[in-house]
Amino acid sequence: MTIDEIMRLAPVIPVLIIEDEADAVPLGRALVAGGLPVLEVTLRTPAGLACIRRMAAEVEGAVVGAGTVTTRALRQAVADAGARFAVSPGLIEGEKADGPTPLLPGIATATELMAGFAAGFERFKLFPANVAGGMDAIKAFQSPFPDARFCPTGGVSMKNAPDYLALPNVACVGGTWIASVEAVRARDWDGVTARAREAAGLAKAQAAASR
Ligand code: 3PG
């Protein structure tokens, strides 16, 4: 699957910070049960890579990707672990769209967006969205960069996600609110599924509004 196809699978990509490898599979199952199949497992914990491996192998219906992929070596490592995509907070120096796994690089300015285009990317994470201009920035990018599509992440919540998703150049949003570190520590899988279901419903609400 291309990064564009992955971004269109669900309105929200949960950004996951998992401390204990044993939580990876139940967490993944809780999110898929709630209707969110696209999962970004960050490499911010020592367990990250092992979690990707376990989720990719054991969670049926999940499209498992890696987050916080900041180097070419990590892009290769997560691909080897079974990640179907990688997300980076910024552009990786010298890294092109073609590579071991589809990559969604972060950008925060027009200059970074243009550098991304030059490397073959057309899909970007706006990061940190709440600092990099949020909805106003995405609206402003529409006219000069009509081919770019975004996944704003950073400060996105159930409250502002519908407004982001209503923008024509937003494909999906990302965030930690569906499965926070605290919720994962508490193994609150029912709560995770409930928040996932609510977030998955944003797609339908958006479709209904556009009819
Ligand atoms: C990320 O890792 O992409 C962001 O830290 C997620 O931001 P949030 O915690 O505000 O959702």
Side-chain angles (χ1 to χ4, degrees):
M1 255 188 289
T2 65
I3 196 67
D4 182 65
E5 287 165 341
I6 291 168
M7 288 168 85
R8 285 193 273 121
L9 283 178
V12 179
I13 301 179
V15 176
L16 307 172
I17 300 162
I18 312 170
E19 295 168 324
D20 184 346
E21 187 191 327
D23 292 333
V25 170
L27 171 61
R29 288 186 179 141
L31 288 160
V32 172
L36 295 183
V38 184
L39 312 178
E40 178 186 334
V41 180
T42 66
L43 299 181
R44 291 175 212 176
T45 61
L49 206 57
C51 290
I52 291 167
R53 211 173 281 122
R54 293 279 301 270
M55 274 184 172
E58 296 177 48
V59 182
E60 208 177 318
V63 176
V64 181
T68 328
V69 175
T70 52
T71 65
R72 172 174 295 192
L74 284 176
R75 187 182 184 187
Q76 184 64 57
V78 300
D80 293 344
R84 311 261 296 271
F85 67 98
V87 183
S88 179
L91 296 167
I92 302 173
E93 181 83 36
E95 202 61 356
K96 303 261 189 292
D98 287 336
T101 191
L103 176 65
L104 183 69
I107 61 101
T109 65
T111 301
E112 292 169 2
L113 209 161
M114 287 163 62
F117 271 130
F121 296 98
E122 289 192 331
R123 301 292 175 261
F124 302 95
K125 160 171 167 161
L126 179 74
F127 183 77
N130 53 342
V131 178
M135 275 166 254
D136 288 341
I138 293 172
K139 281 183 202 161
F141 287 149
Q142 170 74 46
S143 178
F145 307 115
D147 296 333
R149 296 284 178 280
F150 299 94
C151 173
T153 308
V156 180
S157 65
M158 213 36 217
K159 201 158 176 259
N160 59 16
D163 293 333
Y164 275 116
L165 289 165
L167 299 177
N169 51 349
V170 167
C172 61
V173 302
T176 56
W177 87 89
I178 308 113
S180 65
V181 178
E182 293 75 26
V184 176
R185 264 188 212 142
R187 307 206 158 117
D188 175 21
W189 309 136
D190 289 347
V192 167
T193 297
R195 282 186 296 280
R197 192 165 287 131
E198 190 186 26
L202 289 171
K204 289 186 211 107
Q206 197 190 0
S210 67
R211 274 201 291 273

